[in-house]
Amino acid sequence: MPSYRRDAVFALLCGLVLLAYLRWTAAVETLQSGVAVVVGVAGALGVEALFLLDTPAASLWERRGVRTASAVALLVCAAGLAVLLGPVVVAAACWGLATYFVVLAVSLLKR
């Protein structure tokens, strides 16, 4: 499986869990929060910049344990911060994943 497909599967699974959380907590409307959109998009673009700027993040990402731990950390941190700050944190994570899919689509179209 190409790495972009593998990464997309991880992102999709995380996104489904996060959306299920928003639905379970009756907080789907937080996806419309401007703060969630800005934080999620900026966060995703920041993470993508780490890969483009030839930082150690790119080589670390190739380790199987790092990918799995990152997915788990995203879910645990989003849920944990949602307890402290509210479901807008989970909505921001959803927007970050949506941004990742846009970046992935654009990069695949340019191939």
Side-chain angles (χ1 to χ4, degrees), residues 6-73:
R6 173 202 66 212
D7 294 349
V9 168
F10 271 106
L12 178 62
L13 292 174
C14 286
L16 290 173
V17 169
L18 293 170
L19 288 171
Y21 174 88
L22 290 176
R23 184 167 168 89
W24 179 66
T25 59
V28 175
E29 73 281 353
T30 58
L31 288 169
Q32 298 175 0
S33 164
V35 171
V37 175
V38 170
V39 170
V41 171
L45 293 177
V47 169
E48 291 300 320
L50 290 175
F51 291 105
L52 291 174
L53 296 175
D54 198 26
T55 65
S59 60
L60 283 173
W61 187 252
E62 292 308 316
R63 297 180 185 174
R64 179 177 294 166
V66 171
R67 293 187 304 267
T68 304
S70 296
V72 171

